[in-house]
Amino acid sequence: MKRNRIPQFFIIVGAFLLLLAVVLMLDNVPGVPVMLLIVLRKGAIYALVAVSMNILNGFTGLFSLGQAGFMLLGAYTYAILTVPVENQALVYQRYPNGGIGFSVTESLGRVLGQPGLLLGVIICLILGGIVAGVFAYLIGLPVLRLKSDYLAIATLGFAEIIRAVVQYEKLGPITNGSNLLSNFTNFSNFHLGSLKLDTVMPFVFAGVCIWVITLIINSTYGRAFKAIRDDEVAAEAMGINLANHKRMSFIISSFFAGISGAMLAMYQASVQATIFKAAMTYEILLIVVLGGIGSISGSIIAAFLFVGSSEWWLRFLDNTTVLPNFNAKLLFAIIFAAIVVSIVFLVVYRQNKAQKSRPEAVGRGRKILSLKLSGVITLVVGTLLLLGDLRFLISPDLQVPLLRSGFRMVVFSIIVMIVVLFFSRGLMGDRELPDLFRTRHKRL
Amino acid sequence: MKKLLTVMIVLAMTLSLVGCGKSSNTSSKTLSIGVFEPASGDNGAGGKQETLGMQYANSVTPTVAINGETYNVVLKIVDNQSATDKAPTAAQQLVSDNVSVVLGSYGSGVSMAAAPIFEQAKIPAIGASCTNPAVTQNRPYYFRVCFIDPFQGSVMASFVKDQFNAKKAYVLNMLGEDYGSGLATYFANAFKKQGGEVKSEAFPEGTSDFSAYIQNAISYGADVIFAPSATTYASLIISQAASAGCKIPITAGDTWESSVILDAQKGTNLKVYVSTFFDENDKSGVAATFVSGFKAWLNADSQHKTDNGGNDIVAAVSALGYDAYMTAIEAIKIANSTTGEDIKNAMPKVSFDGVTGHISFPNGGDAAKSDAFIKQADNGVFKFVKRQSGAS
């Protein structure tokens, strides 16, 4: 074991550095689609917050829905500490003499230049995490006595309370009430010579944080978390202090949620309490579930896929599109039909094979297709889509049907539903990326 | 492994579809104008109405001449989902679509969140109804055609003084809503400056019972209620005030110029006043032409009518959307160029009569507006009351 681990460590570090180099190149080579960079930036941040939620939900088995609240704390701590003094009057214009009168990044940046700016950002990111962690400790005292759904409701309530408190008029001179905080230090303030670092920075921060999380998960504490998840009574019998470990897991998860919240603020270059609603927690929960509860690499992959499809690849569905001529229409219809046919075929083929190989089906033989309900539904929906496609081809219209503003979210929801139906344990289950490359290897 | 493969296949297909969608623009010379508006989220309804105004303007003036060549103007519409975390991506989408100018957005927060992105790409943005003063401050690439909240607040303060000789005002807004709380503060400040007395209260999101707030207003002895809030709450406030037998006039800002308010006020004796951006009976005739043309355009297409809320009542934000588009066209004509930088430099020279009054930009990003229009909701129609200027 010991012999194996050291090369693996170097492989991971090497791969990460290579990834950074690629991202740095993407950032600085002209002609790279901006949307790709945006998806990479936001994806890295969402990957971190999804992994932080996974510590709690996937590895410790505590179902918490407070992530947005902790992100809000991190984001606001970061933003309040880094608004430059000269901009404070502008940002806090509803509150005369608002703002804290100093800015960590500005002061450090003035003295030390770029390294000082970086140092300031790191300090403020960590402070954002610490504030979230302290609140997690306090809220954890009463709330962690609860289990499953009750814990979820309590943490959800906490997140809503935090949002209301931040928006409170009397706190306005610090939090700017319900108004936007902006003009603070963000990713575009960093340069390495003339190289832009907009996309590299989130990758570095998220990468380091996720690496630390992996270390924690693989340490004795991490194994204790997993033991609690699998069986609380057995874990306690083995001498694990339940209350301590649950609290620790809650605080670690919130700490990294705070950091990712601060990074989200940096990415947006502005922050407003209204966006940290329960809906944001659900987005993150969706990523965790889609990626696989208890899989760090699953959360990371799902985060990028989620951000990519919700922000980029599906956007064309929002525009009414008029095809230029009949040939384009024919091409469109054929591609659409090919996609539908291949997806239906894939589903039906796999399910047919799986059903036929089941022992109770062997004796019956004869049947050409044996499908579960989901297979039949796929077949029916596929046929209906093909008929619709044919109807569109025959009709004189050149405008693609259904495409209009709002349709994107419909398709997105359908895709999420399909993924959950067919990958009932998420894309990765509880496996990690390296597991996929190993030959069938049983885990304990 | 197989699962991974499946995901890859699906991704490849989606990407190929994207390619398909984009290759369809083949017409000769086109110029793109980005429409950065919410179509979903809290402000979805208002955003759609504003977009309609821009689409109508596009149908009225579909081409622009640059250096003697005719360019077709194409609108690129993105949905910013009324959320400041979704807005940067939507804005970035417009940048990568190579738009020359951006119009929008409804809701100031999303405009502020997107401003750095447009600025970095050197694309000027023209806001239609974003009334928060911070939108254009320190943002050389952001302009707007509407008046701003401090102005609106002082207009309403002088209106209630002139009209009702009000001494005490009761101000009600939603906790955590930046538009409402901003307008409420500006109104309160202006009203106090005139020697008035103010009692302010805020209700939490999702409140449906306003009787306690209305009783507070009555027992405070208020001469007027100022309640800038979203229209969903507005209809509740009006109907519950009516059933509580409240006789105090209720006033609010521009969001209340909506058919929802008319329906709520209908059949009651309540006096409901709103400040707004335009008056269709204006002498210049621009507004009257716009209103009749826009109504006909709405009625011609069922989808447009649905987006407008199922009726053909002209919202002030539609008029502002129309003016924002026309401002962009004027600026492009003056710039004689399709690049954002040239159009931005041409903005100070823009001067024309829009639906919402004369539009020019003598001092920075805000259009010079001297008056707001006060209307009263009266049994299903908005009656024009007066032009009101701010406190001197």
Side-chain angles (χ1 to χ4, degrees):
Chain A
M1 262 338 261
K2 194 93 188 160
R3 214 168 0 133
N4 249 347
R5 199 167 275 172
I6 291 168
Q8 202 187 349
F9 173 76
F10 283 112
I11 290 173
I12 289 173
V13 170
F16 183 59
L17 288 178
L18 194 71
L19 181 72
L20 285 188
V22 171
V23 172
L24 181 66
M25 203 188 71
L26 286 178
D27 231 351
N28 289 286
V29 175
V32 175
V34 196
M35 289 308 284
L36 174 67
L37 297 175
I38 289 287
V39 167
L40 286 177
R41 280 171 215 168
K42 200 171 178 187
I45 295 162
Y46 266 54
L48 175 59
V49 61
V51 170
S52 81
M53 193 173 194
N54 219 337
I55 301 177
L56 211 54
N57 291 20
F59 290 103
T60 323
L62 293 172
F63 188 35
S64 146
L65 290 177
Q67 226 63 1
F70 295 115
M71 287 172 77
L72 181 149
L73 286 171
Y76 264 80
T77 310
Y78 176 84
I80 290 166
L81 287 175
T82 59
V83 177
V85 176
E86 66 204 321
N87 289 342
Q88 280 179 1
L90 176 70
V91 172
Y92 293 93
Q93 55 180 334
R94 285 261 316 282
Y95 304 95
N97 300 322
I100 50 173
F102 67 93
S103 156
V104 175
T105 47
E106 193 190 31
S107 324
L108 284 169
R110 196 176 292 142
V111 181
L112 298 168
Q114 283 278 315
L117 202 62
L118 181 65
L119 184 70
V121 166
I122 292 174
I123 290 174
C124 294
L125 282 179
I126 292 175
L127 279 176
I130 288 175
V131 168
V134 167
F135 272 85
Y137 173 76
L138 295 175
I139 191 75
L141 291 176
V143 153
L144 283 178
R145 293 160 200 265
L146 303 169
K147 278 182 187 163
S148 66
D149 314 355
Y150 304 101
L151 176 64
I153 299 298
T155 44
L156 191 65
F158 159 74
E160 293 294 307
I161 292 169
I162 283 291
R163 192 161 59 83
V165 169
V166 165
Q167 290 173 335
Y168 182 46
E169 228 18 49
K170 297 281 181 319
L171 286 179
I174 301 167
T175 62
N176 210 11
S178 42
N179 301 293
L180 200 74
L181 282 169
S182 60
N183 284 310
F184 46 80
T185 314
N186 59 44
F187 290 128
S188 57
N189 292 87
F190 290 103
H191 302 279
L192 188 72
S194 60
L195 290 177
K196 281 191 286 185
L197 296 175
D198 288 32
T199 320
V200 181
M201 298 306 288
F203 266 76
V204 173
F205 291 143
V208 169
C209 289
I210 291 174
W211 179 61
V212 173
I213 292 175
T214 338
L215 289 183
I216 294 172
I217 293 291
N218 291 330
S219 71
T220 47
Y221 297 110
R223 285 197 287 277
F225 293 164
K226 286 185 220 168
I228 294 172
R229 171 191 66 186
D230 293 338
D231 191 331
E232 282 197 8
V233 180
E236 201 166 21
M238 296 299 290
I240 293 170
N241 185 335
L242 284 189
N244 249 346
H245 280 87
K246 279 186 179 174
R247 192 184 310 130
M248 195 186 300
S249 165
F250 194 54
I251 292 173
I252 293 171
S253 165
S254 309
F255 174 79
F256 287 107
I259 291 189
S260 59
M263 280 166 63
L264 191 68
M266 288 178 84
Y267 155 78
Q268 286 169 212
S270 66
V271 56
Q272 192 175 21
T274 45
I275 64 162
F276 296 96
K277 284 190 178 146
M280 181 171 260
T281 308
Y282 298 146
E283 275 185 358
I284 298 153
L285 184 66
L286 190 68
I287 294 174
V288 172
V289 172
L290 285 183
I293 295 179
S295 166
I296 290 179
S297 41
S299 293
I300 298 173
I301 294 170
F304 283 100
L305 290 179
F306 175 88
V307 174
S309 48
S310 72
E311 302 275 16
W312 186 21
W313 300 319
L314 297 181
R315 229 171 236 287
F316 70 98
L317 293 170
D318 266 357
N319 304 334
T320 47
T321 311
V322 181
L323 298 168
N325 51 35
F326 183 75
N327 286 343
K329 184 168 146 179
L330 190 66
L331 187 72
F332 174 82
I334 289 174
I335 291 181
F336 183 74
I339 292 175
V340 171
V341 168
S342 53
I343 289 178
V344 170
F345 177 77
L346 208 77
V347 169
V348 169
Y349 174 77
R350 278 184 49 187
Q351 212 173 71
N352 189 28
K353 212 166 129 190
Q355 288 289 93
K356 276 196 174 158
S357 60
R358 277 168 58 185
E360 68 265 25
V362 170
R364 289 182 221 153
R366 283 306 149 93
K367 258 180 153 182
I368 312 167
L369 275 177
S370 67
L371 291 174
K372 284 192 283 187
L373 185 63
S374 61
V376 177
I377 292 174
T378 318
L379 212 58
V380 172
V381 171
T383 321
L384 286 178
L385 284 176
L386 284 183
L387 282 178
D389 192 34
L390 196 67
R391 188 169 156 258
F392 168 61
L393 195 62
I394 299 168
S395 71
D397 272 9
L398 279 178
Q399 184 180 334
V400 183
L402 289 176
L403 295 197
R404 65 171 59 104
S405 120
F407 188 57
R408 174 170 64 113
M409 295 323 281
V410 176
V411 174
F412 182 68
S413 319
I414 292 174
I415 292 179
V416 168
M417 235 163 65
I418 291 173
V419 174
V420 170
L421 276 179
F422 287 99
F423 299 87
S424 50
R425 304 190 55 215
L427 293 173
M428 302 285 286
D430 58 357
R431 290 168 304 173
E432 295 296 342
L433 204 51
D435 296 343
L436 289 180
F437 299 114
R438 276 184 214 139
T439 44
R440 300 272 164 199
H441 136 94
K442 293 265 176 199
R443 278 159 53 95
L444 286 175
Chain B
M1 218 43 220
K2 212 182 250 168
K3 286 176 184 174
L4 209 68
L5 207 71
T6 323
V7 173
M8 297 306 257
I9 292 173
V10 172
L11 270 186
M13 283 168 174
T14 329
L15 279 178
S16 68
L17 253 184
V18 177
C20 258
K22 274 191 183 149
S23 60
S24 56
N25 285 327
T26 49
S27 39
S28 53
K29 286 267 186 187
T30 57
L31 175 144
S32 313
I33 293 185
V35 175
F36 177 69
E37 291 285 352
S40 53
D42 295 343
N43 293 330
K48 276 182 188 162
Q49 288 182 326
E50 204 163 295
T51 311
L52 283 174
M54 295 166 189
Q55 285 172 320
Y56 170 65
N58 184 233
S59 75
V60 172
T61 317
T63 58
V64 60
I66 300 170
N67 281 329
E69 269 188 288
T70 310
Y71 282 69
N72 287 322
V73 181
V74 179
L75 293 181
K76 299 265 185 205
I77 303 175
V78 294
D79 176 11
N80 60 35
Q81 297 176 266
S82 338
T84 50
D85 61 329
K86 306 283 192 294
T89 351
Q92 204 61 258
Q93 176 71 47
L94 289 178
V95 172
S96 61
D97 280 348
N98 282 323
V99 298
S100 303
V101 195
V102 171
L103 310 177
S105 165
Y106 188 100
S108 301
V110 280
S111 301
M112 283 188 257
I117 292 169
F118 297 139
E119 197 169 318
Q120 221 171 16
K122 298 206 184 320
I123 297 173
I126 303 170
S129 66
C130 35
T131 46
N132 190 314
V135 172
T136 56
Q137 274 174 10
N138 266 10
R139 295 286 180 208
Y141 285 83
Y142 232 106
F143 301 86
R144 71 176 131 211
V145 295
C146 53
F147 48 63
I148 57 177
D149 285 339
F151 172 76
Q152 194 174 190
S154 78
V155 162
M156 286 316 281
S158 23
F159 168 73
V160 295
K161 188 160 184 283
D162 295 356
Q163 192 84 2
F164 315 116
N165 201 14
K167 295 278 185 296
K168 282 174 154 188
Y170 178 79
V171 177
L172 183 64
N173 67 280
M174 189 182 101
L175 185 69
E177 189 205 18
D178 52 353
Y179 165 80
S181 60
L183 195 49
T185 315
Y186 296 122
F187 173 85
N189 290 346
F191 194 72
K192 279 179 199 154
K193 210 181 261 176
Q194 295 167 357
E197 226 184 283
V198 175
K199 181 183 171 76
S200 291
E201 281 195 308
F203 59 88
E205 194 174 352
T207 302
S208 58
D209 183 8
F210 288 94
S211 48
Y213 297 105
I214 291 158
Q215 284 310 323
N216 283 352
I218 295 173
S219 58
Y220 174 64
D223 301 314
V224 65
I225 296 175
F226 184 65
S229 55
T231 46
T232 42
Y233 299 112
S235 56
L236 293 171
I237 294 172
I238 292 174
S239 54
Q240 290 176 18
S243 62
C246 168
K247 295 272 182 295
I248 310 168
I250 302 180
T251 59
D254 56 288
T255 48
W256 275 34
E257 199 206 5
S258 152
S259 53
V260 179
I261 308 298
L262 292 180
D263 293 341
Q265 194 273 337
K266 213 171 188 173
T268 69
N269 291 323
L270 269 181
K271 291 177 184 156
V272 178
Y273 294 88
V274 301
S275 76
T276 184
F277 301 104
F278 87 112
D279 167 35
E280 56 197 83
N281 308 316
D282 190 19
K283 280 185 242 54
S284 73
V286 185
T289 324
F290 165 76
V291 168
S292 58
F294 188 61
K295 279 192 173 170
W297 182 78
L298 279 181
N299 287 322
D301 188 322
S302 62
Q303 182 60 41
H304 293 152
K305 209 169 165 180
T306 316
D307 284 347
N308 198 42
N311 54 45
D312 66 351
I313 295 174
V314 183
V317 289
S318 302
L320 286 169
Y322 179 91
D323 275 0
Y325 179 89
M326 289 307 174
T327 308
I329 294 291
E330 287 293 319
I332 293 168
K333 274 189 207 157
I334 295 169
N336 226 351
S337 151
T338 59
T339 54
E341 188 69 32
D342 294 341
I343 298 172
K344 178 221 153 196
N345 291 332
M347 286 298 289
K349 299 185 198 115
V350 168
S351 172
F352 73 104
D353 279 317
V355 177
T356 61
H358 187 77
I359 290 175
S360 61
F361 299 88
N363 343 295
D366 296 334
K369 297 258 168 145
S370 53
D371 297 321
F373 302 89
I374 310 288
K375 291 183 186 176
Q376 181 181 9
D378 190 18
N379 273 324
V381 283
F382 278 113
K383 280 201 312 198
F384 178 69
V385 179
K386 64 191 289 198
R387 282 174 90 112
Q388 179 79 41
S389 54
S392 44

